[in-house]
Amino acid sequence: MNDHQHPEQDDAIIGTAFVGSLIVFAILGIGGYLTFQYLKPLEELVELANTPTELPSITETEDIELPTIRWTDITTSSGIDFVHENGAAGEKLLPETMGGGCAFLDYDNDHDQDLLLINSQRWPWANQDESSIATIKLYANDGSGNFTDVTSLAGLDVSLYGMGVACGDFDADGWVDLFVSCLGKNRLLRNEEGKFVDVTEQAGVGGDAESWSTSCGWFDYDQDGDLDLFVAQYIVWSRDFDLSQEFTILGNIPAYGRPQNFEGTFPSLYRNEGQGKFTDVSESAGLHVLNPATQTPLAKSLGVVFEDFDTDGDLDIFVSNDTVQNFLFVNQGDGRFMEMATLAGVAFDLQGAARGAMGIDTSHFRNDPSIGVAIGNFANEMTALYVTRDHNLQFYDEAVSNGLGPNTRMQLSFSVLFFDADLDGRLDLLQTNGHLEEEINKVQASQTYEQTPQLFWNSGPEHETEFVSLPATQTGDDFLKPLVGRGAAYADIDNDGDLDLVLTAAGQPARLLRNDQQLNHHWLRVKLTGNGQNLAGIGGTIAVSTNGRQQFRTVSPTRGYLSQMELPVTFGLGNVDVVERLTIRWPDGTDQLLENIEADQLLEVQQP
């Protein structure tokens, strides 16, 4: 599909062409810009609460027939009773705001999607009731969307200040393992036929006891066939330093801290050496990015996604950073990465400012070779939608030109996920929202602590408003019930072909939403089984062709915010009941072609 087929998005290219023509000057000036941002006096930083809010102009939706995608809250009826414990007890410590991740995975190899929910805990200096210590929760699926708590049976009744999770079979024994990122030491839990065993120390992936790890994921960065581990790190944090800042809003209401006041960190990359051992190669791989003004670590990372952005056959890393520039680590194929976010146009917004970036996802949402990257940002900052053209690693933020931006500006967004909610063959966009401050409405009338999730239906690039926010008449009230939204994940929990959702919340119950759409669209789900060490085919790509339309997916469960998706890949087919061609590019570069595949099935493909 060529550029002339997207005239509505051309405004974004025109609007950024001038910036692109001055890229050399931007590179020269970025050091000075960051120096200014770092050194300007704290008293000159106006608190958000004191800044008058100018409501954005919401993009008018064209006269488009919207689909009805009903969601039913089945949390209680399905057996999910998880409540996130963030430890909040009045001290307003920043980790309390971040929530926990979630994952759909088949932990017991019974071919359905089980649910893992990551918990934090009460602070060790607070009084604790030993009978109610918070732990991770694992729920086994019976195949129809009914769940049983198997936490203790699976050996996961451990208490930690958890953040995110990564699911991957690092030892290639056929059982998916877990890595849990934490405030403090991280955990690697090896799955021994349904029972998890802590192998953190032997593996060497625990990290620093003082670190704060966030999103994480498994991928094969060096193409040696086994899964390596990437762990994002947030900030240098301690209770004493946090309390010493005496953060407030309006000068007298205690508030959670600003990440600008904390030092940055480096992400971690662990190379899989086999035999359950890993080596930290973060620095030698080129992931230690320094603040040019201070020569200290720059990153304040919350989200990560893996994608072959330059189509050279290996996976790159896109990291969303909070209040500092984003990172695009381009894989050089020799074990090293080159950080290219500024050159690619994804480090900052169109005004050259860093945003409060949280979760991230990437997709071919236009069913063409262009790649889109969505990033959820802080309140009064719209969701970013960076889009490439022609695989040249040049992105354009099209959030305004396609209507997504104005409809997301007022929300404080954490997770963003592309998935085909109505199975029409176009990827829609989910966004979870929720503020950090319980009392934010007292100082900003436009903000609330609990916020509604948003589902943006993909109407196609021919429409001026490409992503249309679905109202309650189309989604049902269960979907739009406000919560302090953080993580999210999707999976087909009841084997009916469509994708269901779990939403997590900071200090609140998780919410399980069953997709009850009745549009009679066809679908195909594909699960890969690879040879060698990468049994799930993570990093492989799948393309389906139907009636002249192509869809593309990368097999990678690491998406959104702190969370993991199911491994089978779902293609919505609309009214088409046969897939003409299905092409798999396996992680080792070999191709496989299947033809004339009947719809409405889970297709399991073994690598030849």
Side-chain angles (χ1 to χ4, degrees):
M1 193 174 287
N2 60 43
D3 288 350
H4 296 291
Q5 289 175 285
H6 303 310
E8 299 80 12
Q9 279 75 49
D10 287 345
D11 289 343
I13 300 175
I14 296 171
T16 57
F18 178 69
V19 176
S21 68
L22 296 177
I23 191 65
V24 175
F25 296 100
I27 295 170
L28 293 174
I30 198 66
Y33 169 78
L34 291 173
T35 301
F36 169 73
Q37 292 285 35
Y38 185 86
L39 297 177
K40 62 184 177 180
L42 180 61
E43 57 267 21
E44 294 181 13
L45 296 173
V46 180
E47 292 191 52
L48 179 61
N50 289 329
T51 305
T53 300
E54 180 181 348
L55 295 177
S57 175
I58 302 299
T59 302
E60 294 294 330
T61 302
E62 302 162 70
D63 187 16
I64 304 173
E65 183 178 354
L66 300 178
T68 298
I69 312 174
R70 292 284 178 181
W71 302 88
T72 303
D73 187 339
I74 60 169
T75 310
T76 302
S77 62
S78 68
I80 305 299
D81 58 358
F82 175 85
V83 180
H84 180 257
E85 172 64 74
N86 63 359
E91 287 190 321
K92 292 283 187 175
L93 301 174
L94 188 55
E96 299 164 3
T97 67
M98 291 304 184
C102 51
F104 282 113
L105 71 160
D106 184 7
Y107 94 97
D108 50 3
N109 285 347
D110 65 351
H111 305 290
D112 54 37
Q113 298 303 310
D114 309 304
L115 176 59
L116 180 76
L117 294 163
I118 301 300
N119 215 342
S120 299
Q121 64 183 7
R122 299 178 189 177
W123 297 110
W125 50 83
N127 293 327
Q128 296 196 53
D129 179 359
E130 294 295 326
S131 65
S132 60
I133 292 178
T135 70
I136 297 170
K137 286 287 187 179
L138 178 64
Y139 297 90
N141 190 350
D142 69 355
S144 63
N146 294 311
F147 293 85
T148 301
D149 187 340
V150 293
T151 306
S152 181
L153 183 67
L156 292 178
D157 48 352
V158 294
S159 183
L160 39 73
Y161 207 100
M163 286 283 147
V165 61
C167 305
D169 183 7
F170 76 87
D171 54 359
D173 64 351
W175 296 82
V176 62
D177 310 298
L178 300 175
F179 178 86
V180 180
S181 63
C182 303
L183 178 67
K185 280 280 189 179
N186 301 316
R187 305 289 181 88
L188 179 61
L189 305 166
R190 186 175 62 211
N191 189 342
E192 297 185 354
E193 299 186 5
K195 183 84 171 183
F196 290 91
V197 177
D198 191 331
V199 295
T200 310
E201 292 305 315
Q202 304 95 296
V205 295
D208 191 331
E210 305 301 319
S211 65
W212 182 352
S213 303
T214 54
S215 290
C216 46
W218 298 97
F219 75 128
D220 183 8
Y221 87 97
D222 52 2
Q223 295 187 293
D224 64 352
D226 55 26
L227 293 177
D228 310 298
L229 177 65
F230 179 91
V231 185
Q233 310 286 347
Y234 189 36
I235 56 173
V236 177
W237 182 86
S238 71
R239 178 194 182 198
D240 290 342
F241 182 80
D242 199 336
L243 292 174
S244 71
Q245 303 301 300
E246 298 183 348
F247 296 103
T248 62
I249 50 179
L250 293 187
N252 60 354
I253 301 176
Y256 287 106
R258 298 158 40 87
Q260 293 95 324
N261 290 46
F262 296 85
E263 293 182 12
T265 57
F266 293 131
S268 298
L269 177 62
Y270 297 98
R271 185 178 64 213
N272 191 338
E273 307 291 5
Q275 305 299 314
K277 305 291 186 181
F278 292 80
T279 300
D280 187 339
V281 296
S282 313
E283 184 172 10
S284 63
L287 303 186
H288 282 194
V289 181
L290 296 174
N291 184 321
T294 64
Q295 294 301 299
T296 57
L298 178 60
K300 298 179 180 181
S301 305
L302 289 176
V304 63
V305 70
F306 310 115
E307 182 72 59
D308 184 6
F309 291 104
D310 54 358
T311 65
D312 65 350
D314 46 37
L315 289 173
D316 311 304
I317 309 171
F318 201 131
V319 178
S320 53
N321 283 317
D322 189 5
T323 70
V324 298
Q325 70 173 74
N326 300 316
F327 293 154
L328 176 57
F329 293 110
V330 179
N331 197 329
Q332 303 300 292
D334 59 358
R336 289 185 55 81
F337 293 84
M338 181 178 295
E339 204 292 293
M340 299 181 63
T342 300
L343 288 172
V346 295
F348 306 101
D349 66 13
L350 291 176
Q351 286 70 48
R355 291 185 271 202
M358 312 291 185
I360 183 172
D361 198 9
T362 180
S363 75
H364 296 270
F365 68 90
R366 288 184 181 142
N367 292 333
D368 65 12
S370 66
I371 301 176
V373 178
I375 301 177
N377 292 310
F378 202 79
N380 299 317
E381 299 173 341
M382 63 186 66
T383 295
L385 184 64
Y386 299 107
V387 184
T388 63
R389 298 289 176 93
D390 302 323
H391 300 297
N392 60 2
L393 276 183
Q394 184 60 56
F395 290 79
Y396 304 90
D397 192 343
E398 299 186 7
V400 173
S401 63
N402 77 358
L404 176 67
N407 291 290
T408 60
R409 184 180 160 194
M410 298 312 300
Q411 286 72 29
L412 199 167
S413 305
F414 276 83
S415 188
V416 287
L417 291 176
F418 288 106
F419 75 114
D420 191 350
D422 60 343
L423 302 176
D424 67 347
R426 293 189 298 265
L427 290 171
D428 311 302
L429 183 63
L430 170 76
Q431 184 165 294
T432 65
N433 308 308
H435 213 282
L436 311 185
E437 294 292 346
E438 297 95 325
E439 299 182 280
I440 189 63
N441 189 248
K442 293 182 178 180
V443 293
Q444 276 194 294
S446 62
Q447 292 295 317
T448 57
Y449 183 46
E450 295 182 331
Q451 299 182 6
T452 58
Q454 293 172 287
L455 179 60
F456 293 94
W457 177 63
N458 186 342
S459 66
E462 66 272 18
H463 295 288
E464 183 176 358
T465 303
E466 194 169 2
F467 284 99
V468 181
S469 181
L470 294 183
T473 53
Q474 309 307 122
T475 64
D477 293 332
D478 283 0
F479 178 81
L480 294 177
K481 184 180 177 181
L483 76 167
V484 189
R486 295 297 185 260
Y490 56 74
D492 180 10
I493 63 172
D494 48 6
N495 293 306
D496 63 354
D498 57 29
L499 293 173
D500 311 293
L501 295 171
V502 63
L503 311 179
T504 69
Q508 292 184 335
R511 185 177 303 170
L512 185 63
L513 297 168
R514 187 180 64 214
N515 189 337
D516 288 333
Q517 57 85 24
Q518 298 291 326
L519 298 170
N520 297 316
H521 287 159
H522 296 289
W523 48 272
L524 179 68
R525 289 166 53 74
V526 183
K527 180 183 178 183
L528 301 185
T529 301
N531 292 326
Q533 299 295 302
N534 186 358
L535 294 181
I538 291 176
T541 59
I542 306 173
V544 300
S545 299
T546 56
N547 288 355
R549 170 194 279 184
Q550 278 196 308
Q551 299 183 53
F552 308 88
R553 302 283 193 277
T554 298
V555 180
S556 179
T558 304
R559 301 179 182 279
Y561 175 73
L562 304 177
S563 300
Q564 301 276 289
M565 311 305 115
E566 64 170 354
L567 273 174
V569 172
T570 297
F571 294 91
L573 303 177
N575 298 321
V576 177
D577 59 5
V578 174
V579 171
E580 298 164 7
R581 295 167 58 88
L582 185 149
T583 305
I584 300 168
R585 170 66 58 88
W586 292 92
D588 64 3
T590 59
D591 293 326
Q592 185 175 0
L593 173 65
L594 294 85
E595 297 181 293
N596 299 321
I597 302 164
E598 292 187 6
D600 305 327
Q601 64 164 314
L602 171 62
L603 179 68
E604 299 191 27
V605 182
Q606 172 73 49
Q607 184 177 7

